[in-house]
mmCIF file of all heavy atoms in Angstrom:
data_model
loop_
_atom_site.group_PDB
_atom_site.id
_atom_site.type_symbol
_atom_site.label_atom_id
_atom_site.label_comp_id
_atom_site.label_asym_id
_atom_site.label_seq_id
_atom_site.Cartn_x
_atom_site.Cartn_y
_atom_site.Cartn_z
ATOM 1 N N LEU A 1 113.399 109.230 126.348
ATOM 2 C CA LEU A 1 112.569 109.847 127.272
ATOM 3 C C LEU A 1 111.399 108.841 127.746
ATOM 4 O O LEU A 1 110.775 108.336 126.806
ATOM 5 C CB LEU A 1 111.837 111.142 126.768
ATOM 6 C CG LEU A 1 112.763 112.316 126.471
ATOM 7 C CD1 LEU A 1 112.216 113.504 125.869
ATOM 8 C CD2 LEU A 1 113.320 112.774 127.995
ATOM 9 N N THR A 2 111.155 108.668 128.930
ATOM 10 C CA THR A 2 110.066 107.861 129.387
ATOM 11 C C THR A 2 108.941 108.598 130.085
ATOM 12 O O THR A 2 108.085 108.053 130.664
ATOM 13 C CB THR A 2 110.607 106.722 130.503
ATOM 14 O OG1 THR A 2 111.295 107.555 131.510
ATOM 15 C CG2 THR A 2 111.684 105.838 129.751
ATOM 16 N N ALA A 3 109.087 109.845 129.958
ATOM 17 C CA ALA A 3 107.914 110.751 130.377
ATOM 18 C C ALA A 3 107.865 111.957 129.406
ATOM 19 O O ALA A 3 108.923 112.233 128.872
ATOM 20 C CB ALA A 3 108.191 111.276 131.829
ATOM 21 N N ARG A 4 106.861 112.468 129.138
ATOM 22 C CA ARG A 4 106.615 113.642 128.258
ATOM 23 C C ARG A 4 107.025 114.885 129.006
ATOM 24 O O ARG A 4 106.415 115.179 129.972
ATOM 25 C CB ARG A 4 105.160 113.727 127.719
ATOM 26 C CG ARG A 4 104.763 112.354 126.949
ATOM 27 C CD ARG A 4 103.360 112.565 126.313
ATOM 28 N NE ARG A 4 102.846 111.193 125.951
ATOM 29 C CZ ARG A 4 103.354 110.520 124.777
ATOM 30 N NH1 ARG A 4 104.042 111.111 123.895
ATOM 31 N NH2 ARG A 4 102.880 109.330 124.567
ATOM 32 N N ILE A 5 107.758 115.697 128.413
ATOM 33 C CA ILE A 5 108.257 116.885 128.992
ATOM 34 C C ILE A 5 107.756 118.191 128.358
ATOM 35 O O ILE A 5 108.067 118.319 127.064
ATOM 36 C CB ILE A 5 109.788 116.929 129.078
ATOM 37 C CG1 ILE A 5 110.348 115.666 129.922
ATOM 38 C CG2 ILE A 5 110.324 118.263 129.694
ATOM 39 C CD1 ILE A 5 111.857 115.637 130.089
ATOM 40 N N TYR A 6 107.252 119.054 129.062
ATOM 41 C CA TYR A 6 106.738 120.218 128.486
ATOM 42 C C TYR A 6 107.641 121.274 129.160
ATOM 43 O O TYR A 6 107.425 121.568 130.406
ATOM 44 C CB TYR A 6 105.217 120.509 128.875
ATOM 45 C CG TYR A 6 104.640 121.777 128.356
ATOM 46 C CD1 TYR A 6 104.161 121.895 127.142
ATOM 47 C CD2 TYR A 6 104.626 122.956 129.235
ATOM 48 C CE1 TYR A 6 103.542 123.141 126.622
ATOM 49 C CE2 TYR A 6 104.121 124.072 128.752
ATOM 50 C CZ TYR A 6 103.635 124.201 127.564
ATOM 51 O OH TYR A 6 102.938 125.493 127.068
ATOM 52 N N ALA A 7 108.665 121.769 128.585
ATOM 53 C CA ALA A 7 109.648 122.484 129.155
ATOM 54 C C ALA A 7 109.384 124.067 129.044
ATOM 55 O O ALA A 7 108.975 124.622 127.950
ATOM 56 C CB ALA A 7 111.023 122.284 128.432
ATOM 57 N N MET A 8 109.738 124.809 130.149
ATOM 58 C CA MET A 8 109.574 126.301 130.220
ATOM 59 C C MET A 8 110.999 126.753 130.267
ATOM 60 O O MET A 8 111.757 126.427 131.163
ATOM 61 C CB MET A 8 108.725 126.562 131.537
ATOM 62 C CG MET A 8 107.389 126.030 131.465
ATOM 63 S SD MET A 8 106.586 126.056 133.109
ATOM 64 C CE MET A 8 105.937 127.732 133.064
ATOM 65 N N ILE A 9 111.277 127.737 129.382
ATOM 66 C CA ILE A 9 112.612 128.344 129.437
ATOM 67 C C ILE A 9 112.729 129.255 130.464
ATOM 68 O O ILE A 9 111.887 130.076 130.834
ATOM 69 C CB ILE A 9 112.932 128.942 128.022
ATOM 70 C CG1 ILE A 9 112.677 128.073 126.903
ATOM 71 C CG2 ILE A 9 114.248 129.507 128.004
ATOM 72 C CD1 ILE A 9 112.479 128.774 125.434
ATOM 73 N N ARG A 10 113.745 129.111 131.326
ATOM 74 C CA ARG A 10 114.087 130.013 132.462
ATOM 75 C C ARG A 10 114.472 131.515 131.965
ATOM 76 O O ARG A 10 115.492 131.712 131.422
ATOM 77 C CB ARG A 10 115.048 129.425 133.367
ATOM 78 C CG ARG A 10 115.279 130.167 134.559
ATOM 79 C CD ARG A 10 116.361 129.548 135.563
ATOM 80 N NE ARG A 10 116.395 130.353 136.781
ATOM 81 C CZ ARG A 10 116.225 129.981 137.970
ATOM 82 N NH1 ARG A 10 115.647 128.748 137.991
ATOM 83 N NH2 ARG A 10 116.379 130.809 139.052
ATOM 84 N N ASP A 11 113.570 132.286 132.245
ATOM 85 C CA ASP A 11 113.826 133.806 131.964
ATOM 86 C C ASP A 11 113.813 134.006 130.398
ATOM 87 O O ASP A 11 113.835 133.185 129.606
ATOM 88 C CB ASP A 11 114.940 134.322 132.675
ATOM 89 C CG ASP A 11 114.737 135.711 133.093
ATOM 90 O OD1 ASP A 11 114.459 136.619 132.238
ATOM 91 O OD2 ASP A 11 114.929 136.064 134.378
ATOM 92 N N THR A 12 114.210 135.329 130.078
ATOM 93 C CA THR A 12 114.068 135.737 128.698
ATOM 94 C C THR A 12 115.601 136.106 128.125
ATOM 95 O O THR A 12 115.743 137.000 127.310
ATOM 96 C CB THR A 12 113.210 136.811 128.306
ATOM 97 O OG1 THR A 12 113.386 137.894 129.267
ATOM 98 C CG2 THR A 12 111.793 136.457 128.516
ATOM 99 N N GLY A 13 116.618 135.562 128.885
ATOM 100 C CA GLY A 13 117.946 135.990 128.513
ATOM 101 C C GLY A 13 118.626 135.207 127.465
ATOM 102 O O GLY A 13 117.993 134.728 126.375
ATOM 103 N N ASP A 14 119.904 134.716 127.530
ATOM 104 C CA ASP A 14 120.675 134.084 126.631
ATOM 105 C C ASP A 14 119.956 132.760 126.190
ATOM 106 O O ASP A 14 119.989 132.390 124.972
ATOM 107 C CB ASP A 14 122.048 133.866 127.037
ATOM 108 C CG ASP A 14 122.865 135.234 127.113
ATOM 109 O OD1 ASP A 14 122.421 136.210 126.572
ATOM 110 O OD2 ASP A 14 123.850 135.326 127.802
ATOM 111 N N SER A 15 119.580 131.956 127.140
ATOM 112 C CA SER A 15 119.022 130.664 126.761
ATOM 113 C C SER A 15 117.766 130.849 125.982
ATOM 114 O O SER A 15 117.569 130.188 124.924
ATOM 115 C CB SER A 15 118.668 129.861 128.067
ATOM 116 O OG SER A 15 119.867 129.395 128.749
ATOM 117 N N PHE A 16 116.961 131.699 126.421
ATOM 118 C CA PHE A 16 115.704 131.996 125.564
ATOM 119 C C PHE A 16 116.060 132.469 124.088
ATOM 120 O O PHE A 16 115.475 132.031 123.147
ATOM 121 C CB PHE A 16 114.798 133.103 126.225
ATOM 122 C CG PHE A 16 113.576 133.460 125.528
ATOM 123 C CD1 PHE A 16 112.484 132.606 125.379
ATOM 124 C CD2 PHE A 16 113.651 134.709 124.846
ATOM 125 C CE1 PHE A 16 111.431 132.925 124.594
ATOM 126 C CE2 PHE A 16 112.473 135.081 124.057
ATOM 127 C CZ PHE A 16 111.362 134.177 123.901
ATOM 128 N N ASN A 17 117.000 133.356 124.064
ATOM 129 C CA ASN A 17 117.356 133.816 122.819
ATOM 130 C C ASN A 17 117.904 132.742 121.723
ATOM 131 O O ASN A 17 117.577 132.747 120.536
ATOM 132 C CB ASN A 17 118.549 134.902 122.849
ATOM 133 C CG ASN A 17 118.011 136.169 123.514
ATOM 134 O OD1 ASN A 17 116.884 136.489 123.606
ATOM 135 N ND2 ASN A 17 118.905 136.938 124.167
ATOM 136 N N ALA A 18 118.671 131.888 122.403
ATOM 137 C CA ALA A 18 119.124 130.705 121.559
ATOM 138 C C ALA A 18 118.094 129.697 121.326
ATOM 139 O O ALA A 18 117.904 129.234 120.027
ATOM 140 C CB ALA A 18 120.289 130.024 122.302
ATOM 141 N N ILE A 19 117.203 129.385 122.184
ATOM 142 C CA ILE A 19 116.131 128.256 121.987
ATOM 143 C C ILE A 19 115.048 128.791 121.121
ATOM 144 O O ILE A 19 114.571 128.094 120.185
ATOM 145 C CB ILE A 19 115.699 127.823 123.408
ATOM 146 C CG1 ILE A 19 116.698 127.255 124.146
ATOM 147 C CG2 ILE A 19 114.520 126.860 123.098
ATOM 148 C CD1 ILE A 19 116.441 126.896 125.556
ATOM 149 N N SER A 20 114.817 130.154 121.209
ATOM 150 C CA SER A 20 113.535 130.583 120.603
ATOM 151 C C SER A 20 113.773 130.999 119.162
ATOM 152 O O SER A 20 112.884 131.554 118.548
ATOM 153 C CB SER A 20 112.919 131.827 121.303
ATOM 154 O OG SER A 20 113.825 132.853 121.377
ATOM 155 N N LYS A 21 115.053 130.859 118.601
ATOM 156 C CA LYS A 21 115.321 131.302 117.208
ATOM 157 C C LYS A 21 114.313 130.782 116.241
ATOM 158 O O LYS A 21 113.958 131.427 115.204
ATOM 159 C CB LYS A 21 116.709 130.823 116.819
ATOM 160 C CG LYS A 21 117.850 131.769 117.428
ATOM 161 C CD LYS A 21 119.243 131.316 117.069
ATOM 162 C CE LYS A 21 120.250 132.119 117.681
ATOM 163 N NZ LYS A 21 121.664 131.714 117.314
ATOM 164 N N ASP A 22 113.938 129.505 116.407
ATOM 165 C CA ASP A 22 113.103 128.940 115.370
ATOM 166 C C ASP A 22 111.516 128.825 115.870
ATOM 167 O O ASP A 22 110.661 128.144 115.366
ATOM 168 C CB ASP A 22 113.494 127.573 115.021
ATOM 169 C CG ASP A 22 114.890 127.480 114.330
ATOM 170 O OD1 ASP A 22 114.974 128.409 113.517
ATOM 171 O OD2 ASP A 22 115.705 126.641 114.644
ATOM 172 N N GLY A 23 111.336 129.657 117.083
ATOM 173 C CA GLY A 23 110.016 129.717 117.530
ATOM 174 C C GLY A 23 109.756 128.477 118.449
ATOM 175 O O GLY A 23 110.578 127.576 118.728
ATOM 176 N N PRO A 24 108.503 128.327 119.047
ATOM 177 C CA PRO A 24 108.187 127.240 119.969
ATOM 178 C C PRO A 24 108.351 125.796 119.346
ATOM 179 O O PRO A 24 107.979 125.666 118.190
ATOM 180 C CB PRO A 24 106.665 127.474 120.348
ATOM 181 C CG PRO A 24 106.552 128.981 120.170
ATOM 182 C CD PRO A 24 107.439 129.264 118.993
ATOM 183 N N LEU A 25 108.978 124.861 120.034
ATOM 184 C CA LEU A 25 108.918 123.554 119.726
ATOM 185 C C LEU A 25 107.746 122.865 120.260
ATOM 186 O O LEU A 25 107.493 122.658 121.527
ATOM 187 C CB LEU A 25 110.234 122.901 120.326
ATOM 188 C CG LEU A 25 110.498 121.438 119.985
ATOM 189 C CD1 LEU A 25 110.963 121.356 118.508
ATOM 190 C CD2 LEU A 25 111.515 120.826 120.865
ATOM 191 N N ILE A 26 106.921 122.288 119.321
ATOM 192 C CA ILE A 26 105.557 121.672 119.721
ATOM 193 C C ILE A 26 105.551 120.157 119.265
ATOM 194 O O ILE A 26 105.747 119.874 118.161
ATOM 195 C CB ILE A 26 104.456 122.424 119.120
ATOM 196 C CG1 ILE A 26 104.483 123.930 119.536
ATOM 197 C CG2 ILE A 26 103.178 121.821 119.455
ATOM 198 C CD1 ILE A 26 103.595 124.827 118.854
ATOM 199 N N GLY A 27 105.393 119.298 120.369
ATOM 200 C CA GLY A 27 104.990 117.830 119.950
ATOM 201 C C GLY A 27 106.222 117.181 119.445
ATOM 202 O O GLY A 27 106.017 116.245 118.549
ATOM 203 N N TYR A 28 107.481 117.482 119.703
ATOM 204 C CA TYR A 28 108.617 116.860 119.091
ATOM 205 C C TYR A 28 108.732 115.469 119.478
ATOM 206 O O TYR A 28 108.502 115.076 120.714
ATOM 207 C CB TYR A 28 109.875 117.701 119.475
ATOM 208 C CG TYR A 28 111.161 117.268 118.820
ATOM 209 C CD1 TYR A 28 111.519 117.612 117.570
ATOM 210 C CD2 TYR A 28 112.135 116.562 119.476
ATOM 211 C CE1 TYR A 28 112.652 117.305 116.964
ATOM 212 C CE2 TYR A 28 113.158 116.134 118.990
ATOM 213 C CZ TYR A 28 113.519 116.505 117.602
ATOM 214 O OH TYR A 28 114.774 116.161 116.981
ATOM 215 N N GLY A 29 109.164 114.584 118.686
ATOM 216 C CA GLY A 29 109.409 113.135 118.896
ATOM 217 C C GLY A 29 108.231 112.480 119.480
ATOM 218 O O GLY A 29 108.323 111.879 120.530
ATOM 219 N N ASN A 30 107.164 112.450 118.678
ATOM 220 C CA ASN A 30 105.925 111.875 119.069
ATOM 221 C C ASN A 30 105.407 112.379 120.411
ATOM 222 O O ASN A 30 104.879 111.668 121.332
ATOM 223 C CB ASN A 30 106.037 110.311 119.185
ATOM 224 C CG ASN A 30 105.999 109.579 117.817
ATOM 225 O OD1 ASN A 30 105.481 110.055 116.867
ATOM 226 N ND2 ASN A 30 106.626 108.453 117.776
ATOM 227 N N ASP A 31 105.331 113.759 120.396
ATOM 228 C CA ASP A 31 104.832 114.432 121.514
ATOM 229 C C ASP A 31 105.572 114.199 122.792
ATOM 230 O O ASP A 31 104.951 114.447 124.011
ATOM 231 C CB ASP A 31 103.321 114.101 121.801
ATOM 232 C CG ASP A 31 102.441 114.586 120.671
ATOM 233 O OD1 ASP A 31 102.943 115.668 120.013
ATOM 234 O OD2 ASP A 31 101.427 114.028 120.495
ATOM 235 N N PHE A 32 106.833 113.839 122.783
ATOM 236 C CA PHE A 32 107.569 113.556 124.056
ATOM 237 C C PHE A 32 108.275 114.865 124.498
ATOM 238 O O PHE A 32 108.598 115.030 125.698
ATOM 239 C CB PHE A 32 108.626 112.546 123.848
ATOM 240 C CG PHE A 32 108.195 111.097 124.300
ATOM 241 C CD1 PHE A 32 107.729 110.349 123.311
ATOM 242 C CD2 PHE A 32 108.323 110.731 125.579
ATOM 243 C CE1 PHE A 32 107.250 109.056 123.665
ATOM 244 C CE2 PHE A 32 107.741 109.428 125.906
ATOM 245 C CZ PHE A 32 107.234 108.666 124.945
ATOM 246 N N LEU A 33 108.346 115.888 123.665
ATOM 247 C CA LEU A 33 109.006 117.158 124.148
ATOM 248 C C LEU A 33 108.432 118.350 123.432
ATOM 249 O O LEU A 33 108.322 118.483 122.209
ATOM 250 C CB LEU A 33 110.532 117.147 123.715
ATOM 251 C CG LEU A 33 111.315 118.353 124.064
ATOM 252 C CD1 LEU A 33 111.432 118.490 125.587
ATOM 253 C CD2 LEU A 33 112.753 118.239 123.491
ATOM 254 N N SER A 34 107.978 119.291 124.320
ATOM 255 C CA SER A 34 107.505 120.579 123.850
ATOM 256 C C SER A 34 108.232 121.614 124.529
ATOM 257 O O SER A 34 108.329 121.478 125.778
ATOM 258 C CB SER A 34 105.977 120.774 124.000
ATOM 259 O OG SER A 34 105.258 119.916 123.033
ATOM 260 N N VAL A 35 108.702 122.713 123.887
ATOM 261 C CA VAL A 35 109.253 123.933 124.529
ATOM 262 C C VAL A 35 108.594 125.084 123.941
ATOM 263 O O VAL A 35 108.876 125.617 122.902
ATOM 264 C CB VAL A 35 110.744 123.840 124.303
ATOM 265 C CG1 VAL A 35 111.409 125.047 125.048
ATOM 266 C CG2 VAL A 35 111.476 122.475 124.610
ATOM 267 N N ARG A 36 107.488 125.541 124.641
ATOM 268 C CA ARG A 36 106.654 126.615 124.098
ATOM 269 C C ARG A 36 106.337 127.545 125.216
ATOM 270 O O ARG A 36 105.310 128.275 125.158
ATOM 271 C CB ARG A 36 105.472 125.949 123.449
ATOM 272 C CG ARG A 36 104.538 125.241 124.250
ATOM 273 C CD ARG A 36 103.393 124.661 123.421
ATOM 274 N NE ARG A 36 102.633 125.713 122.929
ATOM 275 C CZ ARG A 36 101.566 125.429 122.019
ATOM 276 N NH1 ARG A 36 101.118 124.206 121.906
ATOM 277 N NH2 ARG A 36 100.798 126.481 121.466
ATOM 278 N N ALA A 37 107.075 127.618 126.301
ATOM 279 C CA ALA A 37 106.705 128.450 127.496
ATOM 280 C C ALA A 37 107.930 129.099 128.141
ATOM 281 O O ALA A 37 109.010 128.569 127.954
ATOM 282 C CB ALA A 37 105.908 127.690 128.590
ATOM 283 N N VAL A 38 107.904 130.198 128.754
ATOM 284 C CA VAL A 38 108.882 130.845 129.598
ATOM 285 C C VAL A 38 108.428 130.888 131.058
ATOM 286 O O VAL A 38 107.306 131.124 131.444
ATOM 287 C CB VAL A 38 109.004 132.263 128.962
ATOM 288 C CG1 VAL A 38 109.944 133.113 129.906
ATOM 289 C CG2 VAL A 38 109.695 132.215 127.580
ATOM 290 N N LYS A 39 109.494 130.580 131.895
ATOM 291 C CA LYS A 39 109.263 130.791 133.290
ATOM 292 C C LYS A 39 109.940 132.015 133.835
ATOM 293 O O LYS A 39 111.227 132.178 133.690
ATOM 294 C CB LYS A 39 109.883 129.369 133.929
ATOM 295 C CG LYS A 39 109.950 129.514 135.515
ATOM 296 C CD LYS A 39 108.661 129.326 136.170
ATOM 297 C CE LYS A 39 108.702 129.448 137.700
ATOM 298 N NZ LYS A 39 109.648 128.267 138.214
ATOM 299 N N LEU A 40 109.318 132.761 134.659
ATOM 300 C CA LEU A 40 109.874 133.877 135.280
ATOM 301 C C LEU A 40 109.547 133.750 136.817
ATOM 302 O O LEU A 40 108.779 133.092 137.226
ATOM 303 C CB LEU A 40 109.112 135.315 134.771
ATOM 304 C CG LEU A 40 109.246 135.501 133.163
ATOM 305 C CD1 LEU A 40 108.395 136.719 132.801
ATOM 306 C CD2 LEU A 40 110.697 135.709 132.837
ATOM 307 N N PHE A 41 110.291 134.652 137.543
ATOM 308 C CA PHE A 41 110.188 134.554 138.970
ATOM 309 C C PHE A 41 109.822 136.113 139.489
ATOM 310 O O PHE A 41 110.540 136.972 139.212
ATOM 311 C CB PHE A 41 111.422 134.235 139.698
ATOM 312 C CG PHE A 41 111.772 132.697 139.405
ATOM 313 C CD1 PHE A 41 112.331 132.219 138.288
ATOM 314 C CD2 PHE A 41 111.394 131.872 140.453
ATOM 315 C CE1 PHE A 41 112.660 130.874 138.156
ATOM 316 C CE2 PHE A 41 111.723 130.489 140.306
ATOM 317 C CZ PHE A 41 112.354 129.970 139.053
ATOM 318 N N ALA A 42 108.828 136.036 140.306
ATOM 319 C CA ALA A 42 108.426 137.425 140.902
ATOM 320 C C ALA A 42 108.970 137.635 142.331
ATOM 321 O O ALA A 42 109.211 138.711 142.749
ATOM 322 C CB ALA A 42 106.900 137.596 140.878
ATOM 323 N N ASP A 43 109.103 136.434 142.973
ATOM 324 C CA ASP A 43 109.445 136.576 144.501
ATOM 325 C C ASP A 43 110.083 135.233 144.875
ATOM 326 O O ASP A 43 110.295 134.253 144.106
ATOM 327 C CB ASP A 43 108.290 136.977 145.342
ATOM 328 C CG ASP A 43 107.265 135.977 145.542
ATOM 329 O OD1 ASP A 43 107.161 134.918 144.511
ATOM 330 O OD2 ASP A 43 106.385 136.097 146.418
ATOM 331 N N GLY A 44 110.280 135.172 146.162
ATOM 332 C CA GLY A 44 110.888 133.984 146.832
ATOM 333 C C GLY A 44 109.974 133.060 147.430
ATOM 334 O O GLY A 44 108.806 132.889 146.855
ATOM 335 N N ALA A 45 110.172 132.480 148.536
ATOM 336 C CA ALA A 45 109.191 131.467 149.104
ATOM 337 C C ALA A 45 108.900 131.862 150.511
ATOM 338 O O ALA A 45 109.540 132.598 151.199
ATOM 339 C CB ALA A 45 110.005 130.132 149.144
ATOM 340 N N LEU A 46 107.738 131.186 150.971
ATOM 341 C CA LEU A 46 107.196 131.665 152.329
ATOM 342 C C LEU A 46 108.178 131.098 153.457
ATOM 343 O O LEU A 46 108.297 131.884 154.407
ATOM 344 C CB LEU A 46 105.857 131.037 152.476
ATOM 345 C CG LEU A 46 104.990 131.442 153.690
ATOM 346 C CD1 LEU A 46 104.692 132.955 153.499
ATOM 347 C CD2 LEU A 46 103.713 130.680 153.717
ATOM 348 N N GLY A 47 108.693 129.927 153.298
ATOM 349 C CA GLY A 47 109.402 129.337 154.378
ATOM 350 C C GLY A 47 110.646 130.115 154.806
ATOM 351 O O GLY A 47 110.963 130.232 156.052
ATOM 352 N N SER A 48 111.326 130.815 153.854
ATOM 353 C CA SER A 48 112.365 131.536 154.025
ATOM 354 C C SER A 48 112.146 133.096 154.123
ATOM 355 O O SER A 48 113.004 133.904 154.202
ATOM 356 C CB SER A 48 113.487 131.365 152.907
ATOM 357 O OG SER A 48 112.828 131.519 151.635
#
């Protein structure tokens, strides 16, 4: 990794269930990877 990634899990379905088994991942690999957030969608976009 050549940039630090703070990843948000998309929704609370199967991927979240699998990734969150051990709780949030914080500062993994000398702070190059953290997975401690969830991304949800309420609506679409203005242009469309």
Side-chain angles (χ1 to χ4, degrees):
L1 290 176
T2 54
R4 303 185 192 278
I5 296 178
Y6 181 87
M8 308 169 76
I9 306 165
R10 187 183 179 109
D11 216 305
T12 55
D14 292 342
S15 288
F16 176 76
N17 293 337
I19 297 170
S20 65
K21 284 181 179 178
D22 298 320
L25 183 72
I26 300 173
Y28 186 77
N30 280 336
D31 291 336
F32 269 95
L33 178 62
S34 289
V35 186
R36 61 183 302 182
V38 167
K39 168 74 177 299
L40 302 174
F41 289 84
D43 67 343
L46 191 64
S48 52

